Amino acid sequence: MPYRGERVNEILQMRNIHKSFGATQALKGVDLDILRGQVNAIVGSNGAGKSTLMKTLAGIYRPDEGTILFDGQDITGFTPLKLQELGIQVVHQVLNIVGSMSVLENILLANPPVRCGLLKWKSGQDTVRRILKEIDFPLELSAPAGSLSVSQQQFVILARALIHQPKILVLDEPTARLGMEETQKLFALIRTLKQRGATIIYISHRMEEIYTICDRISVFRDGMHVLSKEAALLSEAELVQAMLGKRMETFFPKEEAPIGGEVLRIQDLRYRDRLNGVSLNVHAGEIVSLVGAVGAGKTEILECLFGLRQWDGGKMTLRGTELSRGHNARRAIDLGMALIPEDRASQGMIGDDTVRANLSSVDMAKACHAGVFSRAKEDQLAQKLVDRLDVRPNDIRYIMTGLSGGNQQKVVVGKWLTAEYPLYLMDEVTAGVDIEAKAEIYKIIGQIAQKGGAVLLATGDIEEAMGISDRIIVLYKGRIIYESSPAQTTKDDLLARIMGGGTHAQ
Amino acid sequence: MKRKFMWEKLLPTPQTMSFIGLMLICLAAFGLLKPAYATADNLYAIVLSACLSAVLALGMGVVISAGGFDLCIGHAAGFAALMCGYFLRSLGMDPYPAMLAALGTAVLIGAVNGFLVAWMGISSFIATLGMQFVLVGVRQWITAGNSYRSGNTIKQLAQGNALGVSNLILFSALMLAIVGFAMQKTAFGRKMQFTGSNIVASDYIGIPTKRYTFLSFLLSGAIAGIVGILQFGKLTSATINMGDGWLFNAMTIAVFSSVIFGRFKAHGIALVAILLTMITTGINMLGVSSAWTNFVLGAILLLSLFAGKYLRFNQIKVRKGRVSHGC
């Protein structure tokens, strides 16, 4: 090790970090100190900039402006490999596992043992065994990593990071895929690492974990670092307040709609370990929001309903018809469901096709004469929707990928407006959408409800849930833990509950 | 705006225009070097020899637009020809039942491919490459090295004329028109293309993507069968190596066409087939080594792939061009 100067208390100092992607500013001048030998929590809602900051730290993104000091050394713009050599290891949210390679090879992947230019996996065996023993997680070294469960894979990735004896270990939502027992193992490991003087950066949505394991909490909001405090001195209520801040009120054009009869009833829905007995119902003209952290089970409920996942148990009834287990998307649509999926680009649209073709893609019969497309009918159908949704540019021949995110989303929603479906399932329908398009989409949701459609809206955006829904349901680890009307709850209370804390309000 | 659409419709697309320009340049260049090239007879011969390649490329184009590749399409066609001969000569069947049985064999090959890709989840490259080797093995085993003569009925079918135009050209034009219509104008074709463009998003709007993947291979099998039988009649005999090398042509044409014309276009396939035949015929007539033909075709394939990146990038910005299905 070279001479390290005075041992400052801050192992990492980030100064005025800016990062933009196109027109969106992900980080707006972040100043953050990470304290040596502590477990530093970073919390914030989706899109607050946590992951962007960690990717900047890992060298994946280069900041537009600002400096990062590691032990007093300027490391801004270093490559990921260089940063790893310096002792900064980031365990990302995504499981980057090579399924066809063995556990041993996966763990040694970043720096495979080489002798005379040849790979010698075996020579790394002892180190890997030692590390696995340390984290108290025995794994068969020769097993292909693809055959492991996701929680085992998570530990493989953890072991990969530990091989390098990191000085700073960043864990991005490490417990999202872990069970109780495994979470305890992870915590024990974090404590051991801390004793040895390593610094941990811990990103999580779960209140109990943050308060159990972390020494210090830093809160992010809208690309800015708003608060850092010792965990013992920061109350849950204060934390939630800092995460929400005083944001601009978005305009929610909620139309009054009479609530009718029951459209959907779900009883005791179970899906793997992701949904543990969910029961809910939605009525005609009602907008119900499902809120919860990433991995709470929102998307799973919608995709089970739509026949995209095989559920394991429970009963679902749509307007008196029970959904069968061999259910698929086609039948779901025929029964009267519409789904706007979470990931617009990969699930929601045919990107290399026109706005027109996308708008007519669900209800092709409406653009056809006896199975043959009629240019006039299709143009008319598409033009009507483009005008109604105010898609810009107002040209149905435009290729989807050339539109802005907001306008793409209008088209993705628009293709379900050719008919009035009794039940609309929407998954993060305004994620990554500009404010104008958002207002347009809220207007459409309001109109759907007014005409007697039922809407089940999965969202991570609390303002949205408070603004447009008649009822809010909070999911936590695959269970419904709270239900309320927006009038009878507060944003603070909801957020606390989403994070598994909170009984303080009300 | 409406009025503008009206007369715009009468013009061919910019792609078609530039393509016809390319053909004229080719004609002028070879015509100057070799006057016999630019005669009506020679051009008719070029179209005649291009038409079956175009139909085979049509089958490949269907599979490509549904998101796969059919590497055994050439051998499936050759196999159908051989089987037709086998049914005729070894089993003594009448010509029409023999043709029907051969067509059935080709459809069966397509069905197996489709099953492997759609329901077994095997990559279409691997499944059809495997099928190609199976066919090469099986044909050896069934025919025991024999070649078969087509007999008059099948020969007449392929070599006859109607209204002064060769049956081959008429059949091919008919096939291009039918498949082109189905792929470009119907809901069936649209769903097939959606499956190829984004299979996940297609699942999410209720398109039975597995069924469409399967159907694309079934269709390419049927097309291969028809091409094989017509080739049988055209060549008047089926030999053991029937179908070797047909894949390359079909692939070049299909890929070139989908790159230039954006997506499945029957007229694009026809134009590309004719242009490529114009080039190879021209090279042959100049008496240059045949190595040049392969070089030029390979270079065209690679260049068209290269150009594809650039063109598709540009298309996103095109607002006034015609950038959709079936113009």
Side-chain angles (χ1 to χ4, degrees):
Chain A
M1 269 283 96
Y3 171 71
R4 254 202 280 151
E6 184 187 353
R7 221 176 128 82
V8 280
N9 196 27
E10 291 89 19
I11 189 167
L12 200 64
Q13 294 166 295
M14 299 180 149
R15 290 288 169 265
N16 195 29
I17 307 284
H18 284 266
K19 180 76 197 170
S20 303
F21 301 98
T24 17
Q25 273 189 293
L27 298 174
K28 306 170 187 166
V30 171
D31 287 310
L32 177 69
D33 291 331
I34 296 295
L35 300 188
R36 186 186 304 281
Q38 297 206 348
V39 182
N40 299 261
I42 293 187
V43 296
S45 309
N46 292 334
K50 297 166 295 179
S51 289
T52 309
L53 188 69
M54 289 308 120
K55 282 183 180 156
T56 312
L57 175 60
I60 296 169
Y61 297 149
R62 202 195 161 96
D64 300 333
E65 211 181 297
T67 49
I68 306 174
L69 299 179
F70 172 62
D71 257 345
Q73 183 190 359
D74 188 348
I75 55 162
T76 324
F78 277 27
T79 62
L81 200 63
K82 193 82 190 292
L83 291 167
Q84 285 179 14
E85 280 166 14
L86 284 173
I88 300 174
Q89 281 288 339
V90 180
V91 176
H92 295 284
Q93 231 174 318
V94 209
L95 284 175
N96 34 4
I97 282 268
V98 185
S100 57
M101 291 173 96
S102 72
V103 169
L104 178 72
E105 289 164 342
N106 263 288
I107 292 175
L108 295 172
L109 200 58
N111 288 78
V114 175
R115 209 170 291 153
C116 311
L118 295 173
L119 282 170
K120 296 277 181 205
W121 293 113
K122 284 263 159 67
S123 67
Q125 243 172 9
D126 294 339
T127 332
V128 171
R129 283 225 175 82
R130 200 196 69 233
I131 297 244
L132 285 176
K133 195 163 177 200
E134 236 175 62
I135 61 179
D136 189 21
F137 206 84
L139 284 169
E140 180 57 52
L141 291 190
S142 58
S147 68
L148 304 178
S149 71
V150 277
S151 55
Q152 287 173 320
Q153 292 181 352
Q154 181 79 56
F155 275 91
V156 169
I157 290 184
L158 208 55
R160 188 194 289 164
L162 293 178
I163 283 274
H164 304 276
Q165 300 182 318
K167 296 202 186 71
I168 297 181
L169 179 65
V170 181
L171 301 169
D172 194 349
E173 300 267 0
T175 55
R177 300 183 190 85
L178 302 184
M180 244 354 182
E181 201 182 320
E182 292 146 341
T183 304
Q184 288 312 316
K185 278 188 182 174
L186 178 71
F187 285 180
L189 174 69
I190 290 176
R191 291 193 185 100
T192 321
L193 289 173
K194 195 172 127 183
Q195 265 171 12
R196 285 197 207 139
T199 307
I200 315 282
I201 299 177
Y202 191 89
I203 301 177
S204 178
H205 274 114
R206 294 179 180 166
M207 201 81 92
E208 46 174 282
E209 291 176 6
I210 297 164
Y211 279 106
T212 311
I213 196 74
C214 300
D215 304 305
R216 216 174 119 81
I217 300 176
S218 302
V219 183
F220 276 71
R221 186 179 71 228
D222 294 334
M224 283 181 290
H225 172 213
V226 290
L227 173 94
S228 275
K229 240 182 185 181
E230 272 176 53
L233 301 177
L234 183 69
S235 73
E236 251 182 49
E238 223 178 322
L239 170 63
V240 164
Q241 195 60 54
M243 279 173 75
L244 287 172
K246 286 198 189 83
R247 279 207 270 168
M248 252 194 334
E249 286 297 319
T250 328
F251 175 53
F252 296 106
K254 174 79 175 83
E255 324 249 347
E256 277 313 314
I259 309 271
E262 190 178 74
V263 172
L264 173 73
R265 173 192 287 266
I266 300 177
Q267 283 163 294
D268 198 33
L269 179 64
R270 288 169 188 281
Y271 172 72
R272 301 204 187 157
D273 58 347
R274 317 279 276 282
L275 295 177
N276 307 304
V278 169
S279 303
L280 60 88
N281 57 6
V282 188
H283 300 87
E286 192 182 29
I287 302 170
V288 176
S289 288
L290 286 171
V291 298
V294 174
K298 296 170 293 184
T299 301
E300 285 79 357
I301 294 178
L302 301 192
E303 294 195 344
C304 282
L305 268 171
F306 208 66
L308 295 162
R309 291 173 193 259
Q310 275 276 315
W311 65 93
D312 300 317
K315 194 174 150 188
M316 299 198 274
T317 321
L318 183 75
R319 294 196 300 166
T321 315
E322 194 183 329
L323 306 185
S324 65
R325 300 235 292 147
H327 185 61
N328 60 33
R330 183 72 256 163
R331 213 171 311 162
I333 295 169
D334 291 342
L335 281 172
M337 280 188 258
L339 171 71
I340 291 129
E342 187 177 13
D343 187 338
R344 175 169 62 239
S346 75
Q347 303 167 334
M349 63 188 212
I350 312 289
D352 61 2
D353 219 321
T354 54
V355 169
R356 165 175 52 206
N358 270 277
L359 284 171
S360 65
S361 64
V362 174
D363 226 345
M364 287 190 189
K366 282 224 170 73
C368 290
H369 279 300
V372 178
F373 273 94
S374 144
R375 177 43 49 86
K377 275 177 100 173
E378 193 182 12
D379 279 357
Q380 197 195 358
L381 173 147
Q383 193 62 51
K384 226 161 91 185
L385 286 168
V386 163
D387 292 342
R388 178 174 166 196
L389 295 155
D390 191 22
V391 176
R392 284 171 230 172
N394 187 307
D395 186 341
I396 54 174
R397 296 171 301 165
Y398 218 84
I399 300 277
M400 280 298 273
T401 44
L403 300 179
S404 73
N407 284 300
Q408 286 177 354
Q409 190 70 352
K410 288 183 199 168
V411 175
V412 171
V413 174
K415 70 178 180 223
W416 295 104
L417 301 177
T418 53
E420 282 166 19
Y421 291 87
L423 176 63
Y424 281 81
L425 309 170
M426 302 189 180
D427 201 348
E428 303 291 352
V429 69
T430 58
V433 159
D434 59 281
I435 215 96
E436 273 174 79
K438 240 182 198 179
E440 202 65 50
I441 290 169
Y442 291 143
K443 200 169 92 191
I444 294 291
I445 295 175
Q447 288 169 358
I448 290 171
Q450 217 176 17
K451 286 182 187 157
V455 181
L456 187 57
L457 186 81
T459 178
D461 184 344
I462 293 177
E463 309 246 345
E464 178 173 303
M466 291 290 280
I468 63 167
S469 30
D470 296 301
R471 225 164 6 114
I472 299 173
I473 292 174
V474 180
L475 279 169
Y476 184 69
K477 294 186 181 172
R479 280 197 180 82
I480 291 177
I481 56 160
Y482 182 65
E483 188 175 327
S484 168
S485 76
Q488 278 158 355
T489 186
T490 60
K491 287 174 201 166
D492 298 26
D493 182 36
L494 275 180
L495 185 56
R497 288 177 194 275
I498 286 172
M499 296 172 78
T503 36
H504 62 282
Q506 307 291 300
Chain B
M1 201 161 164
K2 277 277 176 223
R3 199 170 300 156
K4 206 174 159 212
F5 278 2
M6 297 297 277
W7 73 267
E8 227 180 45
K9 247 181 183 169
L10 298 174
L11 287 176
T13 60
Q15 289 102 322
T16 312
M17 301 249 265
S18 55
F19 213 82
I20 290 172
L22 209 59
M23 290 164 97
L24 289 177
I25 291 171
C26 186
L27 182 68
F30 283 116
L32 281 176
L33 292 167
K34 198 93 183 171
Y37 183 84
T39 58
D41 279 351
N42 188 45
L43 291 181
Y44 180 77
I46 285 173
V47 174
L48 188 61
S49 74
C51 64
L52 283 183
S53 305
V55 179
L56 202 59
L58 193 67
M60 180 66 100
V62 169
V63 177
I64 289 178
S65 73
F69 256 105
D70 188 350
L71 298 183
C72 75
I73 194 166
H75 282 97
F79 191 74
L82 271 175
M83 287 309 287
C84 188
Y86 175 76
F87 291 136
L88 265 177
R89 302 287 162 236
S90 298
L91 300 186
M93 286 164 82
D94 287 331
Y96 282 101
M99 280 190 273
L100 220 56
L103 185 61
T105 314
V107 172
L108 187 70
I109 293 168
V112 173
N113 284 335
F115 175 76
L116 290 175
V117 175
W119 280 288
M120 297 290 105
I122 298 170
S123 138
S124 64
F125 267 99
I126 296 174
T128 55
L129 188 67
M131 178 57 80
Q132 180 183 323
F133 284 105
V134 169
L135 292 179
V136 169
V138 171
R139 72 180 182 192
Q140 192 90 30
W141 172 47
I142 289 184
T143 64
N146 290 328
S147 38
Y148 304 101
R149 294 177 44 71
S150 68
N152 262 335
T153 317
I154 297 176
K155 181 182 165 194
Q156 204 47 46
L157 196 68
Q159 298 188 351
N161 291 292
L163 309 167
V165 183
S166 160
N167 281 352
L168 275 184
I169 295 177
L170 295 175
F171 273 129
S172 303
L174 190 67
M175 295 280 295
L176 284 161
I178 292 174
V179 177
F181 176 79
M183 290 297 290
Q184 291 162 225
K185 297 282 183 195
T186 68
F188 165 85
R190 185 73 68 90
K191 287 177 184 170
M192 186 92 93
Q193 302 208 15
F194 278 173
T195 303
S197 293
N198 186 343
I199 192 163
V200 178
S202 301
D203 274 331
Y204 274 74
I205 50 175
I207 293 173
T209 51
K210 288 183 176 162
R211 195 186 307 162
Y212 276 92
T213 307
F214 175 77
L215 284 174
S216 73
F217 282 98
L218 202 68
L219 201 54
S220 88
I223 290 170
I226 293 170
V227 170
I229 293 164
L230 290 175
Q231 282 280 16
F232 188 28
K234 185 182 170 189
L235 302 173
T236 68
S237 76
T239 52
I240 183 76
N241 62 353
M242 194 94 168
D244 293 358
W246 294 1
L247 168 71
F248 180 71
N249 243 339
M251 180 121 99
T252 311
I253 295 166
V255 170
F256 198 0
S257 160
S258 79
V259 164
I260 302 283
F261 294 88
R263 50 177 71 242
F264 189 93
K265 290 277 172 6
H267 74 274
I269 288 176
L271 287 175
V272 173
I274 293 172
L275 178 71
L276 292 188
T277 317
M278 282 175 81
I279 293 171
T280 48
T281 312
I283 293 173
N284 283 340
M285 282 178 77
L286 291 181
V288 195
S289 152
S290 67
W292 274 98
T293 322
N294 284 333
F295 170 78
V296 169
L297 285 183
I300 286 175
L301 178 62
L302 291 179
L303 269 177
S304 67
L305 286 172
F306 176 74
K309 281 219 168 263
Y310 172 75
L311 280 178
R312 220 162 273 162
F313 176 72
N314 262 0
Q315 251 182 16
I316 293 170
K317 296 179 193 156
V318 173
R319 281 185 61 185
K320 294 287 177 246
R322 300 237 217 105
V323 282
S324 81
H325 291 286
C327 297

